[in-house]
Amino acid sequence: MLGYADARVPDSAPGSVRWCDAPLDEAMRRLVTHIRQFRPEILVTHDAYGGLPGHPDHVHTHRVTMLAAQAAGLERLYPDAGDPWQPRALYLATHPHSAVPALKDVIGARKAVYSVPDGQVTATVDVSPWLDQKIAAVLAHRSEVERGALPGVIAGLPSDTRHRLFATEWFIRQASTAAPTAQTELTV
C-alpha cells in the first residue's frame, strides 16, 4: 500500500491517508520509485473496475499503476526516483462475464459484481498448481476475512469449491507502455 492506509481499515497505517484518497502525483512518485528500483518486465494490476467487488483501493491501484507504468520510463519525470525503466507489458487482472454466474451461485448476491465481456480477456492462466498459496494470500487479508467481505466468504468454502472457482485467472493485456525513444521536434 506504499505506506497508505486501507480504505476500510484506516488503522492499517495509523496517521496515514487512506490509499484511495492518496494524492495521485504522490502515489505515482512512490510507485515509479519501486518500478525503477525493481525493474519488472511485466506489471500486473486490477482492471478499471477494481476487480469483482470494485473496492475503492483497487480502483485507485489501477489508476496509479496505469500512469506510473508509463511515467517510470520518462527520464524527466521524477528524476530523483532512479533511472528510467519501462516494463514490456501491463496486464489487468479481471473476470469475464461468463465466470460471474458460478461465483454468484456460491458467494450469493453482493452489492456489485464487475466483469468484462469475454472477448476482452487476452490471457487465461491455470493457477491450480499454486491455488493453496493463492488462497493463503487472500486469507492473509485478515481485516477483510473478519468483516465478512469476499475473503471471508472464501474462507468458509470447501476446498473443491475453491478449486472450481479460483483455479483460473483472467487478464487483459494492455498495449505496450513503452515510452517514445526519440524526440520529435515540431516546426511551426
Side-chain angles (χ1 to χ4, degrees):
M1 299 277 289
L2 301 174
Y4 298 102
D6 185 292
R8 296 183 179 138
V9 189
D11 290 340
S12 61
S16 296
V17 68
R18 297 178 329 149
W19 170 239
C20 64
D21 297 330
L24 188 58
D25 190 57
E26 177 186 299
M28 276 179 50
R29 175 185 298 277
R30 289 184 187 186
L31 186 54
V32 164
T33 300
H34 283 286
I35 291 170
R36 289 178 178 174
Q37 177 184 356
F38 294 107
R39 303 172 102 47
E41 291 293 323
I42 297 171
L43 287 180
V44 178
T45 190
H46 298 283
D47 65 14
Y49 292 120
L52 280 175
H55 190 293
D57 284 338
H58 300 179
V59 172
H60 195 60
T61 298
H62 168 80
R63 290 180 191 132
V64 172
T65 305
M66 295 296 290
L67 294 169
Q70 184 175 4
L74 302 173
E75 68 183 68
R76 293 186 180 166
L77 196 54
Y78 312 121
D80 58 331
D83 293 333
W85 176 258
Q86 196 67 66
R88 285 185 304 110
L90 178 62
Y91 284 87
L92 310 179
T94 195
H95 287 80
H97 291 332
S98 62
V100 172
L103 287 166
K104 279 188 166 185
D105 286 347
V106 173
I107 64 174
R110 310 289 294 174
K111 290 180 185 176
V113 175
Y114 299 102
S115 59
V116 299
D118 288 44
Q120 288 185 11
V121 173
T122 57
T124 302
V125 180
D126 174 8
V127 297
S128 56
W130 306 277
L131 190 59
D132 290 340
Q133 292 93 327
K134 175 183 174 179
I135 297 299
V138 170
L139 299 182
H141 202 332
R142 286 179 301 230
S143 60
E144 295 292 302
V145 172
E146 290 166 5
R147 71 179 191 82
L150 189 54
V153 174
I154 293 169
L157 295 175
S159 179
D160 63 323
T161 303
R162 286 181 185 173
H163 189 275
R164 184 169 47 89
L165 295 177
F166 302 108
T168 302
E169 296 276 341
W170 300 273
F171 301 91
I172 301 169
R173 183 181 174 138
Q174 293 296 277
S176 171
T177 60
T181 55
Q183 186 173 350
T184 304
E185 253 184 65
L186 295 177
T187 331
V188 189

